Amino acid sequence: MSYFDAASSAPLHPVARQALLASLDEGWADPSRLYREGRRARLLLDAAREAAAEAVGCRPDELSFTSSGTRAVHSGIAGALAGRRRIGRHLIVSAVEHSSVLHSTELFEVTEVPVSRTGAVSPQSYVDALRPDTALACLQSANHEVGTVQPVAEVAAVCRQAGVPLLVDAAQSLGWGPVEGEWSLLTASAHKWGGPSGVGLLAVRKGVRFSPQGPADERESGRAPGFENLPAIVAAAASLRAVRAEAAQEAVRLRELTARIRARVPRLVPDVDVVGDPEKRLPGIVTFSCLYVDGETLLHELDREGFSVSSGSSCTSSTLTPSHVLKAMGVLSEGNVRVSLPPGTTSEDVERFLEVLPGAVTAVRQKLGAPTPSAAVRDDSLVVDALGKRCPIPVIELAKVIGDVPVGGTVRVLSDDEAARLDIPAWCEMREQEYMGEEPADQGSAYVVRRIS
């Protein structure tokens, strides 16, 4: 079985396992106590904090351990906003932030910065979004779905000049290296780099106004209440140091493997859109979307062939709406596959994936078939009734009838699936047809496509 979903959770690093087992024997006592066992636990906690702070690029007293990366994000945003409540309640976030960031900002006034088709923000967009009442800006260091690296240093400079703190979600990138730029707050999650789950990092620079929220607690500077999970913290810090030592060499190897996937998938599988920045990207992530394919079904096919991958498609078991990241990028969401290679992935693993993928996609397309569209001819136009059908069916039906209208003619696709709003324009760009827009309909919406070739 080949595990290709390291961006969700990386396999436990051997150093993490060793440190975890060792600290179970040595680090079980309360590190706040003065007796021998407590002092021993305190030494372990202090050493872990120093190691993690060195990797992050901050002072040890600026870093706190939390119960997860999500908790670090929630605590970081809440504390920063509370510390600057006299400034205002306005936040700036990118449209492709992790859901933990977006959910944390729901009760505030938010400006969402758009991204390019590669998933990157423009620093100028942050300049344009700044206001006198802006209390906080947020930006991920790299995207979790498509791997695009963000211009954090440039955005941090913009925010610093305006006197606005920048919180960076570094969950995906911290294992590969420190985050550049003068950021104010940083969060991360240990299970993303091969540490144990249940450990997050929250770094708050000295001088940043920060007011921890919730009931007061003396632990972790009041930023993470509750008894520290010391064995997991020690394992997280030890594994972060270990993966950093291996990062430069492993990055070169994984970049070659992901470049191979990016180059060969479009040649092996017709009607595929490889998304994300081709150069400014994390080493191990490559994402692509397949026309006329249901994402969940494709994941099951690949699972049967021995590959564990993830998907940002709308038709997955966890959601019935398209990935907000792919939607913000304006790229195809149907049949989406994210391959995120863990350290140690071999060339043979990738070659076998490339051998299996074309057959898996073909099998899914055959299972879905091409339903006979309910089409009514109206002069030089067709109306395709795809109401009640989930993507990719509306796109399949559009593809089947576009050749039935003359060049210059139109097809109106009636659909009540939200994913069609993203996937039909993406299909038009891939197939070099003109997307004319969305019109209201008695049910759902009518998506109008003009045939130009």
Side-chain angles (χ1 to χ4, degrees):
M1 190 74 179
S2 296
Y3 180 77
F4 284 2
D5 195 22
S8 292
S9 188
L12 192 66
H13 194 281
V15 169
R17 184 183 300 277
Q18 294 168 7
L20 182 65
L21 293 175
S23 55
L24 284 171
D25 292 331
E26 297 294 328
W28 48 267
D30 187 343
S32 67
R33 301 307 179 192
L34 299 180
Y35 43 70
R36 183 190 334 175
E37 294 85 355
R39 295 196 305 271
R40 186 185 301 136
R42 169 57 62 180
L43 287 173
L44 289 174
L45 181 59
D46 289 346
R49 196 184 312 278
E50 290 177 6
E54 181 182 4
V56 168
C58 68
R59 292 169 34 167
D61 60 351
E62 294 175 329
L63 186 138
S64 301
F65 293 106
T66 68
S67 58
S68 68
T70 295
R71 173 51 61 190
V73 167
H74 291 176
S75 298
I77 291 176
L81 289 173
R84 288 172 54 82
R85 57 187 176 275
R86 294 183 180 179
I87 302 296
R89 293 171 57 85
H90 176 243
L91 293 90
I92 305 172
V93 302
S94 83
V96 295
E97 293 300 312
H98 190 271
S99 58
S100 62
V101 173
L102 300 180
H103 291 329
S104 295
T105 63
E106 288 174 348
L107 299 179
F108 299 89
E109 187 178 354
V110 178
T111 296
E112 199 170 87
V113 171
V115 297
S116 67
R117 283 186 64 84
T118 65
V121 302
S122 164
Q124 184 61 42
S125 297
Y126 276 77
V127 174
D128 297 340
L130 286 166
R131 300 184 342 198
D133 62 339
T134 301
L136 180 67
C138 301
L139 179 62
Q140 59 194 196
S141 56
N143 186 259
H144 51 290
E145 287 194 31
V146 300
T148 297
V149 173
Q150 302 290 0
V152 172
E154 292 89 336
V155 172
V158 164
C159 292
R160 187 175 183 84
Q161 186 174 9
V164 175
L166 176 69
L167 182 146
V168 177
D169 172 14
Q172 287 296 337
S173 72
L174 192 61
W176 296 108
V179 176
E180 302 297 330
E182 296 181 290
W183 47 266
S184 303
L185 303 96
L186 181 143
T187 63
S189 185
H191 74 99
K192 299 290 187 180
W193 66 67
S197 59
V199 179
L201 305 183
L202 171 60
V204 182
R205 296 282 199 196
K206 292 295 182 183
V208 175
R209 293 181 180 178
F210 191 90
S211 178
Q213 298 301 286
D217 194 292
E218 71 277 7
R219 297 180 186 274
E220 295 300 306
S221 304
R223 296 169 186 166
F227 197 93
E228 296 95 343
N229 184 354
L230 188 53
I233 287 172
V234 170
S239 59
L240 180 56
R241 176 176 285 177
V243 298
R244 279 290 189 83
E246 303 161 355
Q249 183 176 355
E250 192 65 17
V252 172
R253 209 176 58 79
L254 290 186
R255 285 191 188 280
E256 189 281 323
L257 295 178
T258 52
R260 190 185 310 178
I261 296 172
R262 287 182 65 89
R264 288 177 56 185
V265 164
R267 298 202 298 264
L268 295 170
V269 182
D271 298 317
V272 164
D273 185 16
V274 181
V275 301
D277 195 293
E279 300 296 334
K280 298 177 181 179
R281 57 184 305 101
L282 291 175
I285 298 179
V286 57
T287 306
F288 54 89
S289 299
C290 308
L291 273 175
Y292 320 131
V293 169
D294 170 74
E296 184 175 358
T297 305
L298 180 55
L299 262 59
H300 287 315
E301 286 289 336
L302 291 171
D303 184 46
R304 276 192 285 269
E305 295 289 346
F307 292 95
S308 302
V309 300
S310 64
S311 173
S313 294
S314 58
C315 302
T316 58
S317 57
S318 60
T319 178
L320 291 176
T321 58
S323 152
H324 72 277
V325 171
L326 300 179
K327 187 175 182 180
M329 293 168 61
V331 298
L332 184 70
S333 73
E334 68 182 56
N336 179 261
V337 173
R338 180 187 68 182
V339 174
S340 48
L341 307 177
T345 301
T346 66
S347 177
E348 290 75 19
D349 291 333
V350 170
E351 285 300 320
R352 194 168 72 84
F353 175 77
L354 292 171
E355 291 175 5
V356 164
L357 180 66
V361 173
T362 299
V364 173
R365 287 173 173 167
Q366 289 176 345
K367 285 181 181 180
L368 287 174
T372 302
S374 175
V377 179
R378 190 176 64 196
D379 297 328
D380 60 349
S381 67
L382 283 176
V383 177
V384 174
D385 185 357
L387 293 170
K389 300 173 182 178
R390 317 310 294 178
C391 277
I393 300 303
V395 180
I396 291 175
E397 296 195 350
L398 167 61
K400 289 294 180 180
V401 302
I402 191 69
D404 294 341
V405 297
V407 173
T410 61
V411 177
R412 298 174 77 249
V413 182
L414 302 178
S415 176
D416 52 4
D417 183 8
E418 183 183 343
R421 183 172 289 115
L422 179 63
D423 289 347
I424 289 177
W427 177 89
C428 291
E429 180 166 337
M430 292 177 69
R431 308 304 293 172
E432 297 183 339
Q433 306 297 342
E434 180 184 359
Y435 178 65
M436 300 185 65
E438 179 181 346
E439 298 177 352
D442 292 338
Q443 296 182 55
S445 299
Y447 302 92
V448 185
V449 177
R450 184 192 300 277
R451 182 183 176 191
I452 60 176
S453 63

